[in-house]
Amino acid sequence: MGDIAAQEPRLNDEITVSECRLIDYDGNQMGVFSLEQAQGIADAAGLDLVEIAPNAEPPVCRVMDYGKFKYDQAIKAKQARKNQTKIEVKEMKFRPKIDVGDYTTKKKHVLRFLDAGNKVKITIMFRGREMAHPEQGLSILERLADDLKDVAVIENQPKMEGRNMHMLIAPLPQNMKKNQKGNEGKEE
């Protein structure tokens, strides 16, 4: 709790300095005042005295409506969170002896993930004797990368880890921009 309180500026009676440089509600500098005079000016305006630069010489205090100031900060922070994009990593699993129909279905799912702006981790799972032929899994990954070359880019090349082979693909940057513009239009 002490860390949070340290981030908040000191208000009214919490300010302990003897004199401060005062800034009025409109942002105009009024000069150096004793703390009692500055508090009197703030009280006369029906506003708070807020210490905004405690390390300055003399410290800088401002006359403001602190509740309104905090509310505006919360709104700005909410807008910033709303505008940022969160990229998820989806996973699609294949087997080395996948049939053509299954391959096309899984490829459509990968395309859907990429269109949504997500990265996709492609995993080829090997079992038993399939481990002796990793080139089959590699050929599937290469074929998928070739099929998706106009919408995606390979971020991590195919790599064998234990019984699985992995590859990470991400949507092309120009496709990401189109998707963001399209999503903005849907929300309004």
Side-chain angles (χ1 to χ4, degrees), residues 121-155:
K121 178 181 178 183
I122 310 295
T123 304
I124 306 283
M125 301 180 301
F126 295 95
R127 278 199 208 144
R129 292 185 184 145
E130 295 172 346
M131 289 290 293
H133 302 287
E135 67 278 355
Q136 288 179 341
L138 187 61
S139 69
I140 291 171
L141 291 177
E142 288 172 348
R143 186 169 103 199
L144 186 67
D146 189 50
D147 290 347
L148 300 174
K149 69 178 178 257
D150 54 338
V151 293
V153 63
I154 298 174
E155 226 172 65

PDB file of all heavy atoms in Angstrom, residues 121-155:
ATOM      1  N   LYS A 121       0.818 -21.557 -34.185  1.00  0.00           N
ATOM      2  CA  LYS A 121       1.896 -22.524 -33.987  1.00  0.00           C
ATOM      3  C   LYS A 121       1.421 -23.837 -34.619  1.00  0.00           C
ATOM      4  O   LYS A 121       0.404 -24.397 -34.209  1.00  0.00           O
ATOM      5  CB  LYS A 121       2.153 -22.715 -32.491  1.00  0.00           C
ATOM      6  CG  LYS A 121       3.212 -23.732 -32.156  1.00  0.00           C
ATOM      7  CD  LYS A 121       3.343 -23.846 -30.644  1.00  0.00           C
ATOM      8  CE  LYS A 121       4.351 -24.884 -30.264  1.00  0.00           C
ATOM      9  NZ  LYS A 121       4.417 -25.037 -28.787  1.00  0.00           N
ATOM     10  N   ILE A 122       2.148 -24.272 -35.620  1.00  0.00           N
ATOM     11  CA  ILE A 122       1.807 -25.518 -36.307  1.00  0.00           C
ATOM     12  C   ILE A 122       2.652 -26.635 -35.687  1.00  0.00           C
ATOM     13  O   ILE A 122       3.873 -26.516 -35.623  1.00  0.00           O
ATOM     14  CB  ILE A 122       2.108 -25.425 -37.821  1.00  0.00           C
ATOM     15  CG1 ILE A 122       1.498 -24.158 -38.431  1.00  0.00           C
ATOM     16  CG2 ILE A 122       1.631 -26.673 -38.534  1.00  0.00           C
ATOM     17  CD1 ILE A 122       0.007 -24.101 -38.406  1.00  0.00           C
ATOM     18  N   THR A 123       2.006 -27.707 -35.250  1.00  0.00           N
ATOM     19  CA  THR A 123       2.697 -28.819 -34.608  1.00  0.00           C
ATOM     20  C   THR A 123       2.431 -30.097 -35.394  1.00  0.00           C
ATOM     21  O   THR A 123       1.276 -30.404 -35.689  1.00  0.00           O
ATOM     22  CB  THR A 123       2.206 -28.999 -33.154  1.00  0.00           C
ATOM     23  OG1 THR A 123       2.386 -27.789 -32.448  1.00  0.00           O
ATOM     24  CG2 THR A 123       2.957 -30.109 -32.453  1.00  0.00           C
ATOM     25  N   ILE A 124       3.488 -30.791 -35.728  1.00  0.00           N
ATOM     26  CA  ILE A 124       3.357 -32.135 -36.322  1.00  0.00           C
ATOM     27  C   ILE A 124       3.704 -33.130 -35.225  1.00  0.00           C
ATOM     28  O   ILE A 124       4.807 -33.084 -34.673  1.00  0.00           O
ATOM     29  CB  ILE A 124       4.323 -32.330 -37.518  1.00  0.00           C
ATOM     30  CG1 ILE A 124       4.161 -31.226 -38.559  1.00  0.00           C
ATOM     31  CG2 ILE A 124       4.139 -33.710 -38.132  1.00  0.00           C
ATOM     32  CD1 ILE A 124       2.970 -31.342 -39.441  1.00  0.00           C
ATOM     33  N   MET A 125       2.770 -34.028 -34.907  1.00  0.00           N
ATOM     34  CA  MET A 125       2.996 -35.009 -33.839  1.00  0.00           C
ATOM     35  C   MET A 125       3.387 -36.351 -34.452  1.00  0.00           C
ATOM     36  O   MET A 125       2.683 -36.873 -35.317  1.00  0.00           O
ATOM     37  CB  MET A 125       1.721 -35.175 -33.007  1.00  0.00           C
ATOM     38  CG  MET A 125       1.246 -33.891 -32.358  1.00  0.00           C
ATOM     39  SD  MET A 125      -0.254 -34.097 -31.398  1.00  0.00           S
ATOM     40  CE  MET A 125      -1.397 -34.716 -32.623  1.00  0.00           C
ATOM     41  N   PHE A 126       4.494 -36.878 -33.986  1.00  0.00           N
ATOM     42  CA  PHE A 126       4.986 -38.171 -34.470  1.00  0.00           C
ATOM     43  C   PHE A 126       4.756 -39.232 -33.398  1.00  0.00           C
ATOM     44  O   PHE A 126       4.889 -38.960 -32.214  1.00  0.00           O
ATOM     45  CB  PHE A 126       6.492 -38.096 -34.764  1.00  0.00           C
ATOM     46  CG  PHE A 126       6.840 -37.173 -35.889  1.00  0.00           C
ATOM     47  CD1 PHE A 126       7.218 -35.863 -35.635  1.00  0.00           C
ATOM     48  CD2 PHE A 126       6.790 -37.600 -37.203  1.00  0.00           C
ATOM     49  CE1 PHE A 126       7.547 -35.003 -36.658  1.00  0.00           C
ATOM     50  CE2 PHE A 126       7.119 -36.746 -38.238  1.00  0.00           C
ATOM     51  CZ  PHE A 126       7.490 -35.447 -37.963  1.00  0.00           C
ATOM     52  N   ARG A 127       4.434 -40.473 -33.866  1.00  0.00           N
ATOM     53  CA  ARG A 127       4.284 -41.591 -32.946  1.00  0.00           C
ATOM     54  C   ARG A 127       5.036 -42.788 -33.492  1.00  0.00           C
ATOM     55  O   ARG A 127       5.051 -43.020 -34.708  1.00  0.00           O
ATOM     56  CB  ARG A 127       2.815 -42.004 -32.826  1.00  0.00           C
ATOM     57  CG  ARG A 127       2.027 -41.164 -31.885  1.00  0.00           C
ATOM     58  CD  ARG A 127       0.769 -41.929 -31.490  1.00  0.00           C
ATOM     59  NE  ARG A 127      -0.278 -40.983 -31.166  1.00  0.00           N
ATOM     60  CZ  ARG A 127      -1.551 -41.150 -31.421  1.00  0.00           C
ATOM     61  NH1 ARG A 127      -1.956 -42.228 -32.057  1.00  0.00           N
ATOM     62  NH2 ARG A 127      -2.430 -40.264 -31.070  1.00  0.00           N
ATOM     63  N   GLY A 128       5.625 -43.538 -32.597  1.00  0.00           N
ATOM     64  CA  GLY A 128       6.257 -44.817 -32.952  1.00  0.00           C
ATOM     65  C   GLY A 128       7.215 -44.724 -34.111  1.00  0.00           C
ATOM     66  O   GLY A 128       8.181 -43.971 -34.092  1.00  0.00           O
ATOM     67  N   ARG A 129       6.937 -45.510 -35.158  1.00  0.00           N
ATOM     68  CA  ARG A 129       7.839 -45.587 -36.313  1.00  0.00           C
ATOM     69  C   ARG A 129       7.842 -44.330 -37.168  1.00  0.00           C
ATOM     70  O   ARG A 129       8.716 -44.162 -38.006  1.00  0.00           O
ATOM     71  CB  ARG A 129       7.454 -46.798 -37.180  1.00  0.00           C
ATOM     72  CG  ARG A 129       7.738 -48.101 -36.485  1.00  0.00           C
ATOM     73  CD  ARG A 129       7.464 -49.260 -37.413  1.00  0.00           C
ATOM     74  NE  ARG A 129       7.646 -50.515 -36.707  1.00  0.00           N
ATOM     75  CZ  ARG A 129       6.933 -51.581 -36.920  1.00  0.00           C
ATOM     76  NH1 ARG A 129       5.989 -51.561 -37.834  1.00  0.00           N
ATOM     77  NH2 ARG A 129       7.170 -52.692 -36.250  1.00  0.00           N
ATOM     78  N   GLU A 130       6.834 -43.455 -36.978  1.00  0.00           N
ATOM     79  CA  GLU A 130       6.816 -42.195 -37.723  1.00  0.00           C
ATOM     80  C   GLU A 130       8.038 -41.340 -37.398  1.00  0.00           C
ATOM     81  O   GLU A 130       8.452 -40.512 -38.196  1.00  0.00           O
ATOM     82  CB  GLU A 130       5.546 -41.397 -37.396  1.00  0.00           C
ATOM     83  CG  GLU A 130       4.268 -42.075 -37.852  1.00  0.00           C
ATOM     84  CD  GLU A 130       3.013 -41.377 -37.347  1.00  0.00           C
ATOM     85  OE1 GLU A 130       3.105 -40.533 -36.452  1.00  0.00           O
ATOM     86  OE2 GLU A 130       1.933 -41.707 -37.884  1.00  0.00           O
ATOM     87  N   MET A 131       8.630 -41.576 -36.208  1.00  0.00           N
ATOM     88  CA  MET A 131       9.808 -40.814 -35.791  1.00  0.00           C
ATOM     89  C   MET A 131      10.980 -41.025 -36.754  1.00  0.00           C
ATOM     90  O   MET A 131      11.864 -40.180 -36.861  1.00  0.00           O
ATOM     91  CB  MET A 131      10.253 -41.225 -34.381  1.00  0.00           C
ATOM     92  CG  MET A 131       9.327 -40.771 -33.282  1.00  0.00           C
ATOM     93  SD  MET A 131       9.373 -39.010 -33.035  1.00  0.00           S
ATOM     94  CE  MET A 131      11.013 -38.799 -32.405  1.00  0.00           C
ATOM     95  N   ALA A 132      10.995 -42.156 -37.445  1.00  0.00           N
ATOM     96  CA  ALA A 132      12.086 -42.465 -38.380  1.00  0.00           C
ATOM     97  C   ALA A 132      11.986 -41.639 -39.660  1.00  0.00           C
ATOM     98  O   ALA A 132      12.938 -41.607 -40.441  1.00  0.00           O
ATOM     99  CB  ALA A 132      12.082 -43.950 -38.714  1.00  0.00           C
ATOM    100  N   HIS A 133      10.860 -40.962 -39.885  1.00  0.00           N
ATOM    101  CA  HIS A 133      10.652 -40.196 -41.126  1.00  0.00           C
ATOM    102  C   HIS A 133      10.209 -38.760 -40.830  1.00  0.00           C
ATOM    103  O   HIS A 133       9.086 -38.362 -41.189  1.00  0.00           O
ATOM    104  CB  HIS A 133       9.612 -40.894 -42.010  1.00  0.00           C
ATOM    105  CG  HIS A 133       9.984 -42.296 -42.361  1.00  0.00           C
ATOM    106  ND1 HIS A 133      10.970 -42.593 -43.262  1.00  0.00           N
ATOM    107  CD2 HIS A 133       9.516 -43.487 -41.891  1.00  0.00           C
ATOM    108  CE1 HIS A 133      11.094 -43.909 -43.359  1.00  0.00           C
ATOM    109  NE2 HIS A 133      10.226 -44.480 -42.526  1.00  0.00           N
ATOM    110  N   PRO A 134      11.085 -37.959 -40.231  1.00  0.00           N
ATOM    111  CA  PRO A 134      10.699 -36.567 -39.960  1.00  0.00           C
ATOM    112  C   PRO A 134      10.526 -35.743 -41.237  1.00  0.00           C
ATOM    113  O   PRO A 134       9.869 -34.699 -41.214  1.00  0.00           O
ATOM    114  CB  PRO A 134      11.850 -36.025 -39.109  1.00  0.00           C
ATOM    115  CG  PRO A 134      12.995 -36.914 -39.406  1.00  0.00           C
ATOM    116  CD  PRO A 134      12.415 -38.256 -39.739  1.00  0.00           C
ATOM    117  N   GLU A 135      11.080 -36.234 -42.351  1.00  0.00           N
ATOM    118  CA  GLU A 135      10.937 -35.493 -43.616  1.00  0.00           C
ATOM    119  C   GLU A 135       9.477 -35.412 -44.060  1.00  0.00           C
ATOM    120  O   GLU A 135       9.085 -34.478 -44.758  1.00  0.00           O
ATOM    121  CB  GLU A 135      11.820 -36.093 -44.717  1.00  0.00           C
ATOM    122  CG  GLU A 135      11.441 -37.480 -45.200  1.00  0.00           C
ATOM    123  CD  GLU A 135      11.954 -38.625 -44.312  1.00  0.00           C
ATOM    124  OE1 GLU A 135      12.691 -38.371 -43.357  1.00  0.00           O
ATOM    125  OE2 GLU A 135      11.584 -39.779 -44.602  1.00  0.00           O
ATOM    126  N   GLN A 136       8.642 -36.408 -43.637  1.00  0.00           N
ATOM    127  CA  GLN A 136       7.216 -36.341 -43.970  1.00  0.00           C
ATOM    128  C   GLN A 136       6.555 -35.144 -43.276  1.00  0.00           C
ATOM    129  O   GLN A 136       5.774 -34.406 -43.883  1.00  0.00           O
ATOM    130  CB  GLN A 136       6.499 -37.627 -43.538  1.00  0.00           C
ATOM    131  CG  GLN A 136       6.842 -38.825 -44.387  1.00  0.00           C
ATOM    132  CD  GLN A 136       6.115 -40.082 -43.898  1.00  0.00           C
ATOM    133  OE1 GLN A 136       5.659 -40.148 -42.766  1.00  0.00           O
ATOM    134  NE2 GLN A 136       6.036 -41.069 -44.780  1.00  0.00           N
ATOM    135  N   GLY A 137       6.884 -34.942 -42.018  1.00  0.00           N
ATOM    136  CA  GLY A 137       6.343 -33.800 -41.281  1.00  0.00           C
ATOM    137  C   GLY A 137       6.851 -32.487 -41.853  1.00  0.00           C
ATOM    138  O   GLY A 137       6.101 -31.520 -41.981  1.00  0.00           O
ATOM    139  N   LEU A 138       8.132 -32.468 -42.205  1.00  0.00           N
ATOM    140  CA  LEU A 138       8.727 -31.260 -42.781  1.00  0.00           C
ATOM    141  C   LEU A 138       8.055 -30.908 -44.104  1.00  0.00           C
ATOM    142  O   LEU A 138       7.801 -29.736 -44.387  1.00  0.00           O
ATOM    143  CB  LEU A 138      10.233 -31.462 -42.974  1.00  0.00           C
ATOM    144  CG  LEU A 138      11.021 -30.245 -43.397  1.00  0.00           C
ATOM    145  CD1 LEU A 138      10.907 -29.145 -42.362  1.00  0.00           C
ATOM    146  CD2 LEU A 138      12.474 -30.601 -43.618  1.00  0.00           C
ATOM    147  N   SER A 139       7.733 -31.924 -44.907  1.00  0.00           N
ATOM    148  CA  SER A 139       7.081 -31.654 -46.191  1.00  0.00           C
ATOM    149  C   SER A 139       5.678 -31.068 -45.979  1.00  0.00           C
ATOM    150  O   SER A 139       5.251 -30.187 -46.733  1.00  0.00           O
ATOM    151  CB  SER A 139       7.016 -32.914 -47.050  1.00  0.00           C
ATOM    152  OG  SER A 139       6.122 -33.852 -46.480  1.00  0.00           O
ATOM    153  N   ILE A 140       4.976 -31.508 -44.936  1.00  0.00           N
ATOM    154  CA  ILE A 140       3.648 -30.951 -44.636  1.00  0.00           C
ATOM    155  C   ILE A 140       3.787 -29.481 -44.234  1.00  0.00           C
ATOM    156  O   ILE A 140       3.033 -28.617 -44.699  1.00  0.00           O
ATOM    157  CB  ILE A 140       2.948 -31.758 -43.521  1.00  0.00           C
ATOM    158  CG1 ILE A 140       2.573 -33.148 -44.056  1.00  0.00           C
ATOM    159  CG2 ILE A 140       1.712 -31.029 -43.010  1.00  0.00           C
ATOM    160  CD1 ILE A 140       2.072 -34.093 -42.992  1.00  0.00           C
ATOM    161  N   LEU A 141       4.763 -29.181 -43.384  1.00  0.00           N
ATOM    162  CA  LEU A 141       4.968 -27.799 -42.953  1.00  0.00           C
ATOM    163  C   LEU A 141       5.359 -26.906 -44.123  1.00  0.00           C
ATOM    164  O   LEU A 141       4.872 -25.771 -44.237  1.00  0.00           O
ATOM    165  CB  LEU A 141       6.036 -27.731 -41.858  1.00  0.00           C
ATOM    166  CG  LEU A 141       5.662 -28.334 -40.497  1.00  0.00           C
ATOM    167  CD1 LEU A 141       6.835 -28.256 -39.542  1.00  0.00           C
ATOM    168  CD2 LEU A 141       4.453 -27.637 -39.911  1.00  0.00           C
ATOM    169  N   GLU A 142       6.219 -27.417 -44.999  1.00  0.00           N
ATOM    170  CA  GLU A 142       6.627 -26.628 -46.168  1.00  0.00           C
ATOM    171  C   GLU A 142       5.453 -26.394 -47.109  1.00  0.00           C
ATOM    172  O   GLU A 142       5.294 -25.312 -47.670  1.00  0.00           O
ATOM    173  CB  GLU A 142       7.778 -27.322 -46.898  1.00  0.00           C
ATOM    174  CG  GLU A 142       9.094 -27.239 -46.140  1.00  0.00           C
ATOM    175  CD  GLU A 142      10.192 -28.088 -46.752  1.00  0.00           C
ATOM    176  OE1 GLU A 142       9.905 -28.936 -47.646  1.00  0.00           O
ATOM    177  OE2 GLU A 142      11.341 -27.932 -46.316  1.00  0.00           O
ATOM    178  N   ARG A 143       4.630 -27.425 -47.285  1.00  0.00           N
ATOM    179  CA  ARG A 143       3.449 -27.288 -48.150  1.00  0.00           C
ATOM    180  C   ARG A 143       2.479 -26.252 -47.571  1.00  0.00           C
ATOM    181  O   ARG A 143       1.955 -25.406 -48.299  1.00  0.00           O
ATOM    182  CB  ARG A 143       2.762 -28.644 -48.284  1.00  0.00           C
ATOM    183  CG  ARG A 143       1.611 -28.651 -49.275  1.00  0.00           C
ATOM    184  CD  ARG A 143       1.156 -30.055 -49.558  1.00  0.00           C
ATOM    185  NE  ARG A 143      -0.073 -30.312 -48.824  1.00  0.00           N
ATOM    186  CZ  ARG A 143      -0.561 -31.507 -48.543  1.00  0.00           C
ATOM    187  NH1 ARG A 143       0.099 -32.590 -48.903  1.00  0.00           N
ATOM    188  NH2 ARG A 143      -1.682 -31.647 -47.890  1.00  0.00           N
ATOM    189  N   LEU A 144       2.273 -26.284 -46.252  1.00  0.00           N
ATOM    190  CA  LEU A 144       1.387 -25.331 -45.607  1.00  0.00           C
ATOM    191  C   LEU A 144       1.947 -23.914 -45.726  1.00  0.00           C
ATOM    192  O   LEU A 144       1.205 -22.970 -46.036  1.00  0.00           O
ATOM    193  CB  LEU A 144       1.205 -25.703 -44.129  1.00  0.00           C
ATOM    194  CG  LEU A 144       0.193 -24.864 -43.361  1.00  0.00           C
ATOM    195  CD1 LEU A 144      -1.210 -25.113 -43.890  1.00  0.00           C
ATOM    196  CD2 LEU A 144       0.250 -25.190 -41.884  1.00  0.00           C
ATOM    197  N   ALA A 145       3.239 -23.763 -45.519  1.00  0.00           N
ATOM    198  CA  ALA A 145       3.872 -22.446 -45.639  1.00  0.00           C
ATOM    199  C   ALA A 145       3.741 -21.921 -47.070  1.00  0.00           C
ATOM    200  O   ALA A 145       3.493 -20.731 -47.280  1.00  0.00           O
ATOM    201  CB  ALA A 145       5.336 -22.519 -45.229  1.00  0.00           C
ATOM    202  N   ASP A 146       3.881 -22.807 -48.051  1.00  0.00           N
ATOM    203  CA  ASP A 146       3.749 -22.405 -49.448  1.00  0.00           C
ATOM    204  C   ASP A 146       2.304 -22.003 -49.765  1.00  0.00           C
ATOM    205  O   ASP A 146       2.068 -21.021 -50.474  1.00  0.00           O
ATOM    206  CB  ASP A 146       4.214 -23.553 -50.361  1.00  0.00           C
ATOM    207  CG  ASP A 146       4.304 -23.124 -51.810  1.00  0.00           C
ATOM    208  OD1 ASP A 146       4.925 -22.068 -52.064  1.00  0.00           O
ATOM    209  OD2 ASP A 146       3.735 -23.826 -52.677  1.00  0.00           O
ATOM    210  N   ASP A 147       1.329 -22.756 -49.211  1.00  0.00           N
ATOM    211  CA  ASP A 147      -0.088 -22.437 -49.446  1.00  0.00           C
ATOM    212  C   ASP A 147      -0.482 -21.100 -48.818  1.00  0.00           C
ATOM    213  O   ASP A 147      -1.376 -20.413 -49.317  1.00  0.00           O
ATOM    214  CB  ASP A 147      -0.991 -23.540 -48.876  1.00  0.00           C
ATOM    215  CG  ASP A 147      -0.893 -24.839 -49.671  1.00  0.00           C
ATOM    216  OD1 ASP A 147      -0.328 -24.810 -50.789  1.00  0.00           O
ATOM    217  OD2 ASP A 147      -1.372 -25.883 -49.167  1.00  0.00           O
ATOM    218  N   LEU A 148       0.178 -20.726 -47.722  1.00  0.00           N
ATOM    219  CA  LEU A 148      -0.204 -19.516 -46.982  1.00  0.00           C
ATOM    220  C   LEU A 148       0.753 -18.347 -47.203  1.00  0.00           C
ATOM    221  O   LEU A 148       0.674 -17.346 -46.503  1.00  0.00           O
ATOM    222  CB  LEU A 148      -0.257 -19.836 -45.475  1.00  0.00           C
ATOM    223  CG  LEU A 148      -1.237 -20.918 -45.042  1.00  0.00           C
ATOM    224  CD1 LEU A 148      -1.074 -21.213 -43.568  1.00  0.00           C
ATOM    225  CD2 LEU A 148      -2.664 -20.516 -45.344  1.00  0.00           C
ATOM    226  N   LYS A 149       1.649 -18.456 -48.195  1.00  0.00           N
ATOM    227  CA  LYS A 149       2.696 -17.429 -48.350  1.00  0.00           C
ATOM    228  C   LYS A 149       2.143 -16.047 -48.666  1.00  0.00           C
ATOM    229  O   LYS A 149       2.784 -15.055 -48.365  1.00  0.00           O
ATOM    230  CB  LYS A 149       3.717 -17.859 -49.397  1.00  0.00           C
ATOM    231  CG  LYS A 149       3.202 -17.879 -50.827  1.00  0.00           C
ATOM    232  CD  LYS A 149       4.301 -18.261 -51.800  1.00  0.00           C
ATOM    233  CE  LYS A 149       3.773 -18.321 -53.194  1.00  0.00           C
ATOM    234  NZ  LYS A 149       3.534 -19.657 -53.702  1.00  0.00           N
ATOM    235  N   ASP A 150       0.918 -15.951 -49.223  1.00  0.00           N
ATOM    236  CA  ASP A 150       0.362 -14.635 -49.537  1.00  0.00           C
ATOM    237  C   ASP A 150      -0.334 -13.985 -48.344  1.00  0.00           C
ATOM    238  O   ASP A 150      -0.623 -12.782 -48.368  1.00  0.00           O
ATOM    239  CB  ASP A 150      -0.605 -14.730 -50.716  1.00  0.00           C
ATOM    240  CG  ASP A 150      -1.681 -15.765 -50.502  1.00  0.00           C
ATOM    241  OD1 ASP A 150      -1.471 -16.684 -49.682  1.00  0.00           O
ATOM    242  OD2 ASP A 150      -2.739 -15.668 -51.160  1.00  0.00           O
ATOM    243  N   VAL A 151      -0.593 -14.726 -47.263  1.00  0.00           N
ATOM    244  CA  VAL A 151      -1.257 -14.152 -46.085  1.00  0.00           C
ATOM    245  C   VAL A 151      -0.416 -14.244 -44.810  1.00  0.00           C
ATOM    246  O   VAL A 151      -0.756 -13.607 -43.815  1.00  0.00           O
ATOM    247  CB  VAL A 151      -2.631 -14.824 -45.820  1.00  0.00           C
ATOM    248  CG1 VAL A 151      -3.611 -14.499 -46.918  1.00  0.00           C
ATOM    249  CG2 VAL A 151      -2.490 -16.298 -45.626  1.00  0.00           C
ATOM    250  N   ALA A 152       0.657 -15.051 -44.823  1.00  0.00           N
ATOM    251  CA  ALA A 152       1.427 -15.255 -43.598  1.00  0.00           C
ATOM    252  C   ALA A 152       2.916 -15.324 -43.890  1.00  0.00           C
ATOM    253  O   ALA A 152       3.334 -15.560 -45.016  1.00  0.00           O
ATOM    254  CB  ALA A 152       0.977 -16.529 -42.902  1.00  0.00           C
ATOM    255  N   VAL A 153       3.681 -15.119 -42.827  1.00  0.00           N
ATOM    256  CA  VAL A 153       5.129 -15.217 -42.907  1.00  0.00           C
ATOM    257  C   VAL A 153       5.595 -16.183 -41.813  1.00  0.00           C
ATOM    258  O   VAL A 153       4.992 -16.236 -40.730  1.00  0.00           O
ATOM    259  CB  VAL A 153       5.783 -13.816 -42.751  1.00  0.00           C
ATOM    260  CG1 VAL A 153       5.499 -13.219 -41.402  1.00  0.00           C
ATOM    261  CG2 VAL A 153       7.260 -13.876 -42.996  1.00  0.00           C
ATOM    262  N   ILE A 154       6.644 -16.945 -42.101  1.00  0.00           N
ATOM    263  CA  ILE A 154       7.168 -17.893 -41.118  1.00  0.00           C
ATOM    264  C   ILE A 154       8.007 -17.108 -40.111  1.00  0.00           C
ATOM    265  O   ILE A 154       8.960 -16.435 -40.478  1.00  0.00           O
ATOM    266  CB  ILE A 154       8.031 -18.987 -41.782  1.00  0.00           C
ATOM    267  CG1 ILE A 154       7.189 -19.809 -42.754  1.00  0.00           C
ATOM    268  CG2 ILE A 154       8.660 -19.881 -40.723  1.00  0.00           C
ATOM    269  CD1 ILE A 154       7.974 -20.813 -43.546  1.00  0.00           C
ATOM    270  N   GLU A 155       7.618 -17.188 -38.833  1.00  0.00           N
ATOM    271  CA  GLU A 155       8.361 -16.494 -37.793  1.00  0.00           C
ATOM    272  C   GLU A 155       9.455 -17.388 -37.219  1.00  0.00           C
ATOM    273  O   GLU A 155      10.567 -16.937 -36.989  1.00  0.00           O
ATOM    274  CB  GLU A 155       7.420 -16.036 -36.685  1.00  0.00           C
ATOM    275  CG  GLU A 155       7.690 -14.620 -36.277  1.00  0.00           C
ATOM    276  CD  GLU A 155       6.658 -14.092 -35.332  1.00  0.00           C
ATOM    277  OE1 GLU A 155       6.561 -14.598 -34.207  1.00  0.00           O
ATOM    278  OE2 GLU A 155       5.968 -13.140 -35.719  1.00  0.00           O
TER     279      GLU A 155
END
